[in-house]
Amino acid sequence: MAEEGAAAGGITAEKVIHTYPLIRHSDMSEEMRTEAVELSVTACEKFSQNNELAARMVKESMDKKFGPAFHVVVGESYGFEITYECTTICYMYFGGNQAICIWKCS
Amino acid sequence: MLKAMIKRALKKDDETVLITKTLLRLEQKDTSTKSRGNLVEDEALDWLKPRALIRPDDQEDVPEADLEEEVGRILTTINPQWVADEVAYHYGQGRFVTKAKPTYGKAYPLYIYQGTAIRKDSDEAKAQVAAGYGMVGFDDAGPKRAKVKKSAAEEEEEEEPEPENVPAEEAKPEEDVQDEEKPKEVIEEQEILKPEAIDEEAAADEGVEETTPEEKEEAEAQVEEKIEIKPRVKKLANQFNFCERAALTYNFPRRSVDTQTIPPPRANYGATVLQCIIFDYYQEDYAKKQREKEEEKPKRLRKKAAKHAKSAQQIHDEQLAQRIREAWTILERLVNQNIYDDIAQDYRYWDDPSDEFREGMGSLLPLWKFQFEPMRNHAVCDVQWNPHYQDLFAVAYGSLDFTQQQKQGCLCLYSIKNPAYPEYSVITDSPIICLDVFKETPYLICVGRYDGNVCVYNAQLTLESSYQYKSDSVRDKHSNIVWEIRWGARLIDGEASFFSISGDGRVVQWAVMPGELQATTIITLHSSVPPIPGPDGTLITVNSCGSCICFHPEKPDIFMVGTEDGMIHTCSLKYNRNYVRSVQGHHMPVYRIHYNYFNNSIYASCSGDWRVKIWEDGRDEPLFMFELGSPVGDVKWAPYSSTVFAACTADGKVYVYDLNVNKYRPICVQAVVSKKTKKLTRIDFNPRLPVVVCGDTKGTCHVVKLSPNLRVMCKPPKKAQGIDQRSLQIMKLDKLLSLVRDPPFQTGVVDEKFDDD
């Protein structure tokens, strides 16, 4: 019994909260993806309480760097069905509870 | 008279006024200079406009009367060069006739241009007007034409009043151009007409001629009029609204061309964000990363990890099995303790009572025999007590019978608590020749193998894990048997390192890097034998085969190397070319060099030439030399005494010497194994207990207990009771050495030994 308890304790101990950026789906080029992930991380850390501002920051920066008509969604719970230009989508998680979707469509 | 003539001339045709005026204007161009009278006339006009003449200060003052005086200048139409009575011979009449007065005496047509203008009241003009060709209003016409028309009208007006009054009448506000031009014209007209009249009076006979120029003038006027009329027809109403043909460029026709590119490819994507989905994906990714991390480990460890990645049931089973195994181990020990109870008692408490009566002689009490069934035919190639656990020793199973080499080897850890079965055993694919236990972490054991590889085993890992590090068989393993292996000091970076010496003549330092061993050749043992010509004539340098290595206890960069040709080289890690010292120690392979625990300059060596020699650093001759009558497999100093050492020989005997008791003879010679079937290979003192383990060629390890006479401790002298045992031991050895060193030549010892034998 004692050992089972220990094992259960071990499992709970393993419940680590992951906060690293994790790409769920992306067809961006390596350079673009790195940029997008970095931007998202920066924005979400800067505006941790305001997803709108975070999304705005990511969008504007991406527009500046890769041309206009980027769309960014930052949120914890939503659904989407989008049309994007190929090689411009990046759907990623960050902070363990935020999902960021970046795509371009003009 | 003049006026009348003008009137008469003008009456002929209203149009003639215009003609005359035009003619006059033509002539006026010729007479560029104006007469004084004209100036006066101009001044007469000026009173209309208040004008103050600004005269320069230095202007000559001329009396008013002089200014008023008229200076006549008359232009005549009569050519002064013309000879009135010029005659010419007329051939037709055959006489001289008077030359007629040239009709062009008054005017020379310099240029006659046959214009296309037509008279406005001619039929053709009327027809054109009727056709709407010149339906332009007079008022809308250009200024030039309007002026012409006006001046024509004025001429008509001029007829009634005196010419002098004309300027006064013309004082109505008019364009500046007209102001200036009109008086001149009128006056010129008068001036020109005057001589004409004179001319008429003077030559009445020239009446015909008189008319002729008039007609001609009329014709010319017609020409002039035509010029005037012509623009009337063609002129556009608004002079500002005109266009020049030259300014218009060709308008290129336009054409529109368009294409359409392929739109950038698009795709659809949809997903749902939920906290649970995010969490799950993070978990999945984390697990994947863990798996990758596992895969980065060496393959052999991955196998183990794969086993661990079994289901919970299997894990549980394994845990259970482990617990059962542990329980069985305890049970086995219990049983063994019961079976070998008497041995255990002896090991702990029995001291040979006969020692009291045998002064200076001792004996060995055989205790347990350790055997590992699969290794029954293997030789114990090395044996070493664990520096940390006093009951544990490691055994390397290999083979020394090179004609019938074994395929396998084994590394075993035995505990004297359980003589029946090794605590740890791992079977290797090549015989193990040597081993060394890492003093810092006693579960790490490095081994040297028959195939030239070196490995590091971790006794803490389960059996399946096999070795933890292994040298690269292709890249940097030894090309011959690894004869001895020794842990060295840690490197600068903190990595553990060990040294191996092999039959290929190389000493290699192995740095234990994470996941691999990094080899560095420290020294290549060159031989004194000159290069031997190979089959194809190339000279092959011969390396001397190293057979044993021993590090200085205090100087970690000094080590000694024994070779198969009997040389003992002192080397340094700092020099990879030369030996620090070289001594021809033996005549057969040196099997072991071992430093004294108490004196760092004293070491023992043994060899296949039956001898054990005790050396002092810096001396070419040994201090002691003992002939054992059989190849000596191993020699070891006792850890408890500075003067005791033990050696084992191929004829199965263990020799124990105490130089303090007897410098020439062993204090104990005991056959541990039968010399017919077995040989003793290696021996090792337990660092704390009075037991010795020695291995034989049949895979058996014998643990024997030293009798009290073999482990005599120093009794402190009465003067200095407080001195600890170690100092006493050092003093004991120093005292002994001082005795030995005194005679510079030590052959006597050997001689005596030989005599004894």
Side-chain angles (χ1 to χ4, degrees), chain A residues 3 18 20 22 24-25 76-86 91 93-94 96-97 99 106, chain B residues 264-275 277-279 281-283 285-286 289 316 319 323:
Chain A
E3 200 165 297
H18 305 293
Y20 57 89
L22 175 58
R24 176 72 193 254
H25 174 85
E76 295 188 0
S77 182
Y78 59 90
F80 60 91
E81 181 71 36
I82 52 160
T83 302
Y84 62 96
E85 283 177 21
C86 286
Y91 173 41
Y93 298 140
F94 176 68
N97 61 346
S106 47
Chain B
R266 292 185 176 185
N268 288 321
Y269 182 70
T272 309
V273 182
L274 285 175
Q275 289 303 303
I277 293 172
I278 295 176
F279 180 81
Y281 194 68
Y282 264 112
Q283 292 294 352
D285 182 71
Y286 184 70
K289 274 185 185 168
H316 179 256
Q319 282 174 342
R323 285 174 62 205

Side-chain angles (χ1 to χ4, degrees), chain B residues 16-57:
Chain B
T16 330
V17 180
L18 181 64
I19 296 158
T20 318
K21 196 207 144 203
T22 318
L23 179 68
L24 286 173
R25 200 185 289 165
L26 280 170
E27 283 182 350
Q28 185 195 351
K29 279 170 192 168
D30 295 336
T31 56
S32 54
T33 51
K34 280 181 178 176
S35 67
R36 185 114 184 141
N38 287 351
L39 282 171
V40 174
E41 284 298 321
D42 283 346
E43 279 174 1
L45 277 172
D46 280 343
W47 67 269
L48 293 167
K49 288 184 263 178
R51 196 159 92 184
L53 288 172
I54 300 166
R55 54 175 62 175
D57 297 336

